[in-house]
Amino acid sequence: KIERFPQPTPTRSPGGDCFACALLAALRFLYPDKEFEFDKVWETYILKEESVDGTSFEHLGNSWMHYPRVLKQCKEQLDLSDFTFRQNSCHPKFTSWGCTNGNWNRDHSQYGEYWHTLCEDLKSGVVFIPINMMGEGPWKNGRWNDTDHIVLIDGVRERRVPIDGGARIDWEVHIVCSRDRGGWKTVHELLDLHGAGAWYVLEREK
């Protein structure tokens, strides 16, 4: 199992450092023979851009659209020649809620599909995934809720749960969280409450 890296106090980013903590924990797991410094990992999220007037500026690339660039920088800046990453997902079918929100919007059959897809990816790497940290569900303050936290998934299991007259099988995932809100959660909790969607698989080339 992956050892979580807790967020520092004070945090470097005003909104928290979960993104860097998750990546650092994943790298320590994938490269047990290497030493990684939090600040060095955090700085791989700093992206340089050029304005239309030719001037350049830097910003923190802590968003889904920037993660491919960040992970590429991680590989280059930390000299990880065999580090690879790929995006994966089990796409929602937009029938349950009648909208095109990418989270909290699945047919019942997709829970199993989602869990089994995660199972396959965990055979070769670590899952790096955005969720809603507090598990607030799909609707908040009159609008669709959003994901606001990065965690890792490092394990899956099926668990028999006794119920009146028999038993059910729960599909569960093991979450590693820098805020210490991890542990085992059912795939229904992960999707319905925490709004999990697409993810990145972090791996080492074999």
Side-chain angles (χ1 to χ4, degrees), residues 23-47:
L23 182 54
L24 175 58
L27 292 175
R28 286 181 169 180
F29 175 76
L30 294 172
Y31 296 88
D33 54 326
K34 289 183 176 287
E35 294 288 336
F36 295 97
E37 298 178 17
F38 172 77
D39 287 338
K40 294 291 185 183
V41 173
W42 197 97
E43 287 161 9
T44 64
Y45 282 83
I46 298 176
L47 301 177

Side-chain angles (χ1 to χ4, degrees), residues 34-92:
K34 289 183 176 287
E35 294 288 336
F36 295 97
E37 298 178 17
F38 172 77
D39 287 338
K40 294 291 185 183
V41 173
W42 197 97
E43 287 161 9
T44 64
Y45 282 83
I46 298 176
L47 301 177
K48 294 182 179 180
E49 308 286 358
E50 187 170 305
S51 301
V52 292
D53 61 2
T55 58
S56 60
F57 64 95
E58 294 182 342
H59 68 98
L60 186 64
N62 177 27
S63 68
W64 183 255
M65 66 179 291
H66 292 126
Y67 287 152
R69 288 179 62 191
V70 167
L71 294 172
K72 183 178 179 181
Q73 283 196 166
C74 174
K75 176 174 183 171
E76 295 170 350
Q77 293 180 12
L78 302 182
D79 193 26
L80 304 174
S81 60
D82 60 348
F83 177 69
T84 64
F85 60 91
R86 56 187 171 85
Q87 184 179 336
N88 204 349
S89 65
C90 177
H91 294 290

Side-chain angles (χ1 to χ4, degrees), residues 186-201:
T186 67
V187 71
H188 289 75
E189 291 174 311
L190 182 69
L191 299 178
D192 294 346
L193 300 181
H194 295 278
W199 63 86
Y200 281 94
V201 188

